Structure formats: C-alpha cells, structure tokens
Amino acid sequence: MEQQRNDSFAYQDLNADRSGPPEIRPEEITFEELIGTGSFGKVFKGRCRQKAVAVKLLHKQNYDSATLAAFRKEVHLMSKIYHPNICLFMGACTIPGKCVIVTELVPKGNLETLLHDEKIQLPLYLRMKMAKDAALGINWLHESNPVFVHRDVKSSNLLVDENMKVKICDFGLSALKQKHKMLKDQSSAKGTPLYMAPEVMMFKEFNESSDVYSFGIVLWEILTRKEPFSHHRELEKFREAVCSKHERPPIPADCLDSLRKLIEKCWDKEPLRRPSFKEIIATLDHIIVDAAISDINGRDFWKRSFLTEQEVPWDTFVDALCEWSKHPNRTQCDKASIEYQNIKCLKAILSDSPKAEGTGVDNIVHIEKFGKILEFFGPMNAPNEGKTLLELIREVMAQKWFHGYFETVDAATRLGGQPVGSFLIRFSSTNAGCFTISQVINEAGTIKHQRVSRIGTKYNYQNVNYNSLIDVVAKNGGGNNGDVKLDASLGVPNFKFMALFCHVPSSSDTY
C-alpha cells in the first residue's frame, strides 16, 4: 500500500557539496544475503572497506529523473543526521545505474518482524523502552532546523540492534520544512496508508504531527504485537473508515491506563491535539516505570527518585529508599543491628555488578529487578504480619532452604544425590511473583517442582493459604495429595545467603 515517491527538492550536485555524503566506489562494496525488501528497493548484508554493512539497492537502476532525484534526496538527508537512535549513514555511490546507500548493519532486523514472531520473548517493559528509543530518534528529526518530517514512521522502519536498541531508518519520503510551516501533497499521498495520518490521506495541509499519528499506530502495534487494521482489504473503504468514521485499532482492556491515554492522544483526529515528541518521551518515562513495577508505591518511589533512569548505583538507590521508607540510613545504622542486616540482605538479592567495567560503581539496581522483588515480597509500604518489606526479605533469606534466583536445571543439579524429602525454594522463573518448591520425592531421585502463588499478602501452596514462605515450610501437611512433606531440616543449604548471617561486622563493611 506504499505510494510512489517523488522529489519536491531541486537536485543538488552532491559531489560539489563538500558537506555532502562520503562517496563510495562500486568496487568497494560486496553484496551478501538479502535481509530486507520494500516497494522501492532491496537491502543486503554486505561488506565495505572490510566492515560489515547494510547496502540499500533500488529495484531499478535505469532511473527516471524523478526516481534519481528522490534517491539523491534521501542520500543528502541521511548525510545530515547523527543520533544514537537513527541508523548511521556511512556513505553512498551516486553514479547513475550503480546507486546504493551504505549504512551500519543493525543485526536483529526490523521491529515489525520481531513483534509478530510469537516465539520471541518481548516483555512489555522492553517494548516500552523500544518505543522510547523510536521517539527519541523522531524527536531529533522534529527538533532540527529545518524540521525533518519522516513521513513513513512504521514498525518495519524501526531497526533493532544486538542490545535491543531501536534506530529509525528509511528517509526516502522525508520532507524538510521550516518551523511552524505546513506541508501539502499535490498529487499523491506519500507514506504507508496503514500508518498514515487522516489529514495526509485527505490531501490537507500537515506538519510533523502526522508522524505523531503514525507513532500512535506503532505504539498500538508494540502493545498488541498484532498488525493494525488487519481486517481492511480495500484502500478506499479503509480511507473512509479512518478519515470519516475515525476508526482506530481496539486497545486491549488490560492496557496500562497511562499507555492507553498516550496512544489515544497520538492518533487524535485533530492534529493540534496530538502531543509533541518531547511530550511523548516524558510520558513514556512514566509508562516504562509502570510497565516495570506493578506495585503502586514502588512506582511512586521510583518516579520520585529516578524517573528517567532504568538502572542506578546501589549507594544512590539505598539512600533514596531509606529516606522514602524512613529506614535508618548508612550513617545512622549500627553494623551489628538488624537494620544493617536488612540492608545487607536487600543488596544481596537486588543489586547486580555493572555491565561496563571501569565505571567506579560497585553495584547497580535495575528497575525491572526491583519491580520483581516487590512482586515476590511486597507490597512496598504495607506491613505484612507486622513486618516491613525489608524485614520479610531478611527473614526469608535467613532460611537455609531459600535460593533466590535459581533456574530449574540448577535446582536439579543442587538436589542430585540428596535424600528423599530434600528441597529448596526459589523464585519462579516463569510466573511473576510466585515461588517454586523443588523437592526430591522418591528413592529414584525424581524431583518435583510445585508452585507457591501470591494471593494478596498470602502464600498459596496446594490450595492452602499461609502467611509467609516460612509458614509454608513449618505448617503445611504435604501429604494431602500424596506428596512428601516439607521438613525444614531437609532444606538444602544456600551457603551464599547463609554467609550473610555468619559474618562478624567490621569497620570496613559497606552496604
């Protein structure tokens, strides 16, 4: 459904423009496998000057003047744009008949393919980060002077790198405009109709807010992982539905309220009511927190303390947490006290070593892991059986049978050769907020894995509610379903956590 491109800019001699793109000779490019295709060209994986690259080749090499002008326009535009969320332009060959564009190779392909592959795990939190990446790239275009209007914002024009970062690509339809000015198509609307703003389809004046509409459709696609308007087959009926009847894709009932409101604002029928990308980015910061943390008070804490951050140094995090929760901070906490032990346990189960070396940061706390810990032990500020969140974490970690983050295969290894009834308890690797009891159930060494679910503040095991994990071990009958009973003495020890409670504090200790 893409429309034919034509060029509204006069052709400039790129070779005479010293600020233009680096010229690449045809013999410097080696074509390898095909990695993408569109109505105007193919994209190949290739090599140029010993570097793996992406090479865009138009279907036709016997260009008419309009196609050649559009190609050169795309090259000229791309040579002016530098941003981490925009696909890096590396050079071009502009010789008629041999024209190609060379860009960085973005290894995971486009977002459309990833979203529609059900086998690929893409948590909502990650998808919202990807949406923000795209918004940052488009915002850079919109904040430029003159303004770049992309005109073809869609999921297939969002590339994903090895770190799941998103980059905008394909500037063949882009237009330049002065700030506060409008654009208008004269003969045919340019872009992809499924993502095209109503005002563009109706040949009315438009500006960068048309990209905002397109982004709203992309946001819906990122949320649902479905193709937008998949029931439409005829262009004219589709145009009438979107432009006259204001049809939009249905937003799922379980969508985060903050995300629902943003999508609806982006695809508003009135361009003036749509937010700018600066506003979209600010809203996505809140949505990312909402997606990572389900606990209401946990969201409030993170937004007040670290709204625009996904990971923070441990020292910064624990100082903010102590202030928020009125817990004694590091200068107030005696190293022999329970409060000190609480913080020590929280650090052991929540913080990680930084990925990058040489940062000077001892440990970091990631927003997603913080959200998961609250699902396991929360709510954040409501005492459970008179105990605070930090006290609950410390009490569970003090049990020799608790192993925290532990995969099924590791549990089987740890229980191998242990007597019947031996068990350990770990975080569930498949169900948020749940725990798993892994236990040896017979002389053959068979291991059974059973779930402990969270229902409010209760822990449900074998259809019985308990006040805590400790109660599950201490009080459950186990034999109701013919299962081996839990016996605390048969808990397989986790020496890593147990060491936290054996250490004698010294003046050099830090948390």
Side-chain angles (χ1 to χ4, degrees):
M1 296 170 71
E2 291 194 3
Q3 305 296 304
Q4 183 178 4
R5 310 176 188 209
N6 61 25
D7 186 19
S8 60
F9 291 86
Y11 165 64
Q12 299 179 23
D13 184 351
L14 297 177
N15 291 322
D17 181 3
R18 294 186 178 182
S19 64
E23 186 72 22
I24 295 175
R25 299 187 306 276
E27 60 269 21
E28 294 184 285
I29 301 169
T30 302
F31 290 86
E32 297 178 1
E33 68 264 29
L34 179 69
I35 57 176
T37 187
S39 59
F40 289 95
K42 295 179 179 180
V43 181
F44 294 85
K45 180 181 179 181
R47 297 195 72 83
C48 180
R49 302 173 187 173
Q50 309 306 312
K51 174 70 175 174
V53 295
V55 185
K56 181 178 179 180
L57 175 70
L58 266 66
H59 291 314
K60 296 180 180 179
Q61 285 293 323
N62 55 334
Y63 302 114
D64 56 35
S65 58
T67 304
L68 183 59
F71 175 80
R72 284 173 166 149
K73 172 193 158 189
E74 179 174 5
V75 169
H76 190 76
L77 289 176
M78 291 186 69
S79 70
K80 307 296 183 183
I81 305 169
Y82 302 95
H83 188 274
N85 297 113
I86 296 175
C87 189
L88 177 64
F89 171 81
M90 299 173 69
C93 177
T94 59
I95 299 173
K98 298 181 179 180
C99 293
V100 297
I101 292 174
V102 178
T103 68
E104 67 174 313
L105 181 65
V106 186
K108 287 190 177 292
N110 67 64
L111 183 58
E112 179 184 45
T113 301
L114 292 182
L115 288 174
H116 298 170
D117 188 340
E118 296 179 355
K119 298 188 295 294
I120 298 175
Q121 294 286 323
L122 293 173
L124 180 62
Y125 163 73
L126 174 59
R127 282 178 277 147
M128 290 303 102
K129 283 178 58 182
M130 297 167 95
K132 183 182 175 183
D133 286 343
L136 287 166
I138 302 169
N139 185 63
W140 186 263
L141 301 177
H142 287 189
E143 291 296 322
S144 300
N145 190 14
V147 175
F148 284 83
V149 183
H150 188 281
R151 303 211 59 192
D152 202 16
V153 174
K154 57 183 178 181
S155 56
S156 60
N157 280 340
L158 302 177
L159 304 182
V160 184
D161 73 9
E162 64 276 11
N163 298 312
M164 304 304 281
K165 296 287 186 182
V166 168
K167 297 171 181 277
I168 308 286
C169 73
D170 201 342
F171 294 87
L173 295 183
S174 300
L176 292 175
K177 62 176 282 295
Q178 296 301 316
K179 290 185 181 293
H180 312 302
K181 298 292 184 181
M182 303 294 286
L183 298 169
K184 187 175 182 180
D185 288 327
Q186 299 302 319
S187 56
S188 62
K190 300 175 184 66
T192 305
L194 291 178
Y195 301 84
M196 192 182 293
E199 63 272 18
V200 177
M201 280 198 276
M202 293 188 292
F203 299 99
K204 294 183 178 180
E205 288 188 333
F206 66 92
N207 58 16
E208 55 267 40
S209 67
S210 64
D211 283 348
V212 175
Y213 174 92
S214 302
F215 185 75
I217 302 296
V218 171
L219 261 183
W220 179 90
E221 191 175 1
I222 290 173
L223 167 65
T224 63
R225 303 185 67 173
K226 297 178 181 178
E227 180 186 349
F229 300 111
S230 59
H231 59 291
H232 279 286
R233 292 291 181 269
E234 298 180 28
L235 179 58
E236 288 307 316
K237 290 184 178 180
F238 169 76
R239 191 197 313 270
E240 180 184 6
V242 170
C243 300
S244 301
K245 299 179 181 178
H246 313 301
E247 179 184 327
R248 304 291 185 267
I251 300 176
D254 60 352
C255 175
L256 291 170
D257 188 55
S258 52
L259 178 55
R260 177 189 301 276
K261 289 178 179 177
L262 177 60
I263 293 173
E264 290 174 341
K265 287 180 180 178
C266 286
W267 66 29
D268 195 292
K269 65 179 181 179
E270 297 294 339
L272 289 175
R273 291 207 293 254
R274 298 173 198 156
S276 67
F277 270 94
K278 181 178 180 180
E279 294 169 319
I280 289 170
I281 292 165
T283 303
L284 282 170
D285 282 329
H286 286 267
I287 292 171
I288 288 170
V289 177
D290 293 344
I293 304 173
S294 59
D295 185 281
I296 298 299
N297 291 294
R299 288 175 178 173
D300 179 71
F301 162 71
W302 197 277
K303 288 178 181 180
R304 289 174 183 268
S305 305
F306 317 113
L307 176 60
T308 61
E309 306 295 329
Q310 271 78 65
E311 60 181 42
V312 293
W314 164 256
D315 291 345
T316 304
F317 171 84
V318 73
D319 286 346
L321 181 65
C322 288
E323 181 179 356
W324 190 87
S325 63
K326 305 298 189 286
H327 188 281
N329 62 32
R330 288 179 290 173
T331 61
Q332 300 168 329
C333 207
D334 187 290
K335 292 187 176 178
S337 68
I338 291 296
E339 287 82 4
Y340 174 80
Q341 206 168 60
N342 287 344
I343 297 296
K344 228 176 27 166
C345 289
L346 183 65
K347 181 178 183 181
I349 205 157
L350 177 58
S351 69
D352 293 301
S353 299
K355 292 180 181 178
E357 297 181 0
T359 60
V361 176
D362 176 24
N363 286 79
I364 57 99
V365 175
H366 195 280
I367 183 176
E368 195 173 22
K369 193 169 184 180
F370 177 59
K372 289 179 179 178
I373 288 296
L374 293 180
E375 289 178 349
F376 290 127
F377 295 105
M380 184 167 173
N381 73 333
N384 184 2
E385 295 294 302
K387 298 181 178 68
T388 66
L389 174 70
L390 268 62
E391 288 171 334
L392 288 172
I393 292 173
R394 172 181 53 79
E395 287 192 356
V396 170
M397 291 181 68
Q399 310 305 311
K400 69 175 185 177
W401 40 255
F402 182 67
H403 289 245
Y405 291 98
F406 217 55
E407 295 296 329
T408 302
V409 64
D410 298 318
T413 300
R414 186 67 59 89
L415 289 168
Q418 298 291 334
V420 175
S422 299
F423 73 98
L424 60 82
I425 300 182
R426 56 193 173 88
F427 294 136
S428 171
S429 57
T430 56
N431 298 92
C434 297
F435 297 83
T436 298
I437 298 176
S438 299
Q439 186 178 32
V440 181
I441 61 171
N442 57 35
E443 294 292 344
T446 303
I447 297 170
K448 187 172 185 178
H449 307 281
Q450 291 188 288
R451 184 180 305 161
V452 180
S453 303
R454 290 295 305 276
I455 301 177
T457 59
K458 300 296 183 180
Y459 296 73
N460 185 275
Y461 178 60
Q462 296 182 337
N463 298 318
V464 178
N465 288 336
Y466 298 89
N467 291 326
S468 67
L469 275 179
I470 297 171
D471 278 351
V472 171
V473 174
K475 297 180 180 179
N476 93 88
N480 295 337
N481 300 317
D483 296 318
V484 178
K485 293 183 179 182
L486 293 174
D487 181 342
S489 67
L490 292 175
V492 175
N494 178 356
F495 296 108
K496 178 181 177 181
F497 288 168
M498 290 174 66
L500 297 171
F501 301 91
C502 300
H503 179 64
V504 177
S506 70
S507 59
S508 62
D509 284 350
T510 62
Y511 62 76

